[in-house]
Amino acid sequence: MTPRFLVRIPLMKFLPRALLPLLFATFVQAAPQDDQYVPGPDSQVQKGVPQGKVTQMPAWTHSKIYPGTTRDWWIYVPAQCKPGSPANVMVFCDGGGFVKADGTFRAPVVFDNLIAKGEMPVTIGIFINPGVFPAASPKEKPRSNRSFEYDSLGDLHARFLIEEILPEVAKNHKLTDDPEGRAICGNSSGGICAFTVAWERPDAFRKVVSHIGSFTNIRGGHVYPALIRKTEKKPLKVFLQDGKNDIDNQFGNWPLANQDMAAALKFAGYDFQFVLGEGKHNGKHGGALLPDTLRWLWKK
Amino acid sequence: MKHTLLILGLLATTTCAQDTSLHDYLIDGEPWQEAASGFAFTDGLCCDKDGNLFFTDVKAGRGIYKIDAATGKTDLFLDSLPGISGLQIGPDGRFYACHNKEQRIIAITMKGEVEVLLTGVKCNDLVVSKNGNLYFTETPTLSVHLITRDKKHIVADTGHVQKPNGITISPDERTLVVSEHGGKHVWAWRIEDDGTLTGGAPFMTMWLPLGKDIAAGDGAATESNGRCFVTTELGVQIFDPAGRLSGIIAKPEPQSKVVSVEFAGKNHDILHIAAGGKVFRRKLKVKGYY
C-alpha cells in the first residue's frame, strides 16, 4: 500500500536537474480511475479572452518565519487588474504546479476565462512553493521543509503569508484587505495547509480549497474534525475534494479523513462543499473541477 | 509563455525514503533479543565498519565494551576510561568520546591513547562528520557545540533546544539533528561548508506518552536512507527525511529506559539499543548509515 511517487516523464525535460530534488512527493501516478477526470473548456486558452501575466518572482531567500529556507514563487495578475483598485487574492500552496499553463490545474488559464466571463472577481494569484534548505553544490540535494510548513498545525504558515509574502506583493499591486476576498488553495499537505491558514487567521483568509487534503496524522492534523465540531463556527467557506481510492497509510486514511472533515463542517454549520470522486492521490479530479470550484468559491 | 519552461510540474518525485510505515522496518519473527547484560547503565553505542558494537557503562563501568559482530561475545575493549556517555569512531579511526565524568571531549586510539580536545563542558552525546567536524550536546546549558576539524571550538547553537541530548547527522552530512530530552521536538539545522549551523527549527515532533508534555528524546542514529531513529520514553521513534513520524518501535521491556541506539552487525542491519543494564538487538529490513 505504500505509494511510490513517480516523476511524470514529460515534465522532466523542462526541469533543470538541480531543481529535481525540490519537487516533493505529492502525487502518485494517475490510475485508470483517474482518466475520467479531464480539464474542460474553461481550463483551455480561449480565443479572444484577455490573458493575465505570470511573473516569476526572485526566490524568497530571507524568510524570518522559516529562516534559512529559499523558495520559488510566481504572481499572476489578471489583464483586468486596474491600478489603484484593490484585487482579490488567492494563494496556491505548491504553487509551481498550479501556475503551469499546461499542467493539471492551469490556474492562470482558468482565472483568465472565469474573470473574462464575470464568473469570479479580479483576483491576483500568488503561487508559492514550500521552502527548501538549499544544496551547497549541484551534486547535493536540498532538504525540503514542506512537511514542516504544511502539515504542522498552528499559525506559522499563516504568519509567513501575512507578514512576509502579502506585503511583498502589495508593494506593486493593490490587494484587498477584506478577508472575504482572500482565498487559499492546496493539494495533499498543501490542502491541510490551506485549511490551517484560514482556521488560524480568518481575519486574513476566509476561502479554502483543498484537493486530496491530508487531514490525517502526519503532524496532528487528524484532530480537525473534532476541533471543528466543538469550536465556535468560523466565517470560512471551504471546498474539499478527495477520491475513494486515495491513500491509506501510517498517517491515516485520506478518504475517511476527508469524509470526517465534511461531516464535521456540516455539523458545525459551515458553508462548504465536498466532492468525493473515485481517484487516487493526484490532482486530476481537482484540476478538472477547478473552474466549477472557483465559481462556487467566489459566488456571493 | 516562457515561465512555463521554468516552473515545476505537479510535484512528484522518487523519494523512496518517504511514506514508510513500521511494515517497512520490522521483520516478523525478529523481536528484540538480549545482546549483553549485567551492566548498570549502558550508553554510548557506536559501531565500526565491520559492524562490531561498542558501548559504555556510564555509571559503573570501567571503559569501552565491545560486542563482536562475528561471535556476539561481549568483552571489555578499553579499560580505565569510566564515565563516557557518547562515543563514535571518527574518520581517522579513533574513538571520539563525551567523557561526561571528566567534563571533556577526548579522542582515543584503538590502543587507548587519549588526546584531550576540550575541557570544562558537561558533554552528553556526539557525532563526528566524515570530514572531521565534531558536534556534541551539552544538555544542562541547552547548547550544541562544534569542534572543527582544525580543533576550533564554536558554540553552534544555544538556548533553543530543550535539554539537547541525542545527536546524529544526515547521510549527505548537510543536516544535523538533535533530540530534546526536556521537550517534544527533534531539531534540525543546515550544516554550512565551514561546519557551522544555520536555519535551526523544531523539524520533527515526537509522540508523547499519554498525559506528559515531554518525550524524553535521547540517543539518535541515522538509517542509510536518511531516516532518523530517536530513543524516547515510548520507544524508538522513526522519522522520515521530511521530518514526519513513521512509526515507533516498542521498547523490549516496558519499564526500561532506552538511551542510545545504533545499527551494527556485519551488514549494519541489526538495531542495538542501550536499555538500563542491558543492550538489546533486533534485525531490521533497513541498514544504518555508517
Side-chain angles (χ1 to χ4, degrees), chain A residues 55-79:
Chain A
T55 308
Q56 179 161 15
M57 305 297 286
W60 192 255
T61 56
H62 46 284
S63 174
K64 289 193 174 68
I65 302 277
Y66 300 120
T69 62
T70 177
R71 71 196 65 222
D72 291 334
W73 64 305
W74 297 260
I75 292 179
Y76 160 87
V77 179

Side-chain angles (χ1 to χ4, degrees), chain B residues 122-245:
Chain B
K122 298 180 176 71
C123 49
N124 186 329
D125 201 355
L126 59 72
V127 66
V128 187
S129 73
K130 292 262 192 291
N131 63 17
N133 287 323
L134 182 156
Y135 300 89
F136 70 92
T137 55
E138 190 178 32
T139 308
T141 63
L142 314 187
S143 301
V144 179
H145 298 254
L146 160 64
I147 300 173
T148 63
R149 55 183 166 249
D150 47 3
K151 297 183 184 175
K152 204 165 85 183
H153 172 222
I154 295 164
V155 178
D157 189 281
T158 192
H160 298 111
V161 187
Q162 295 311 306
K163 296 193 179 171
N165 194 315
I167 186 164
T168 190
I169 195 166
S170 64
D172 65 3
E173 308 222 321
R174 276 293 175 190
T175 304
L176 187 79
V177 165
V178 170
S179 71
E180 287 186 338
H181 195 258
K184 62 177 179 180
H185 293 116
V186 179
W187 285 66
W189 295 260
R190 183 168 189 265
I191 299 175
E192 299 294 332
D193 287 339
D194 63 0
T196 56
L197 305 178
T198 58
F203 190 58
M204 304 167 228
T205 305
M206 294 177 277
W207 197 281
L208 295 167
L210 203 61
K212 294 198 178 175
D213 54 11
I214 60 166
D218 211 307
T222 302
E223 180 267 350
S224 60
N225 291 299
R227 297 138 180 168
C228 184
F229 285 54
V230 184
T231 69
T232 67
E233 185 172 334
L234 285 177
V236 181
Q237 305 203 14
I238 304 169
F239 295 90
D240 68 21
R244 308 176 304 181
L245 179 62

Side-chain angles (χ1 to χ4, degrees), chain A residues 73-96:
Chain A
W73 64 305
W74 297 260
I75 292 179
Y76 160 87
V77 179
Q80 296 85 349
C81 218
K82 289 193 189 91
S85 63
N88 282 4
V89 180
M90 190 156 182
V91 174
F92 290 84
C93 305
D94 295 312

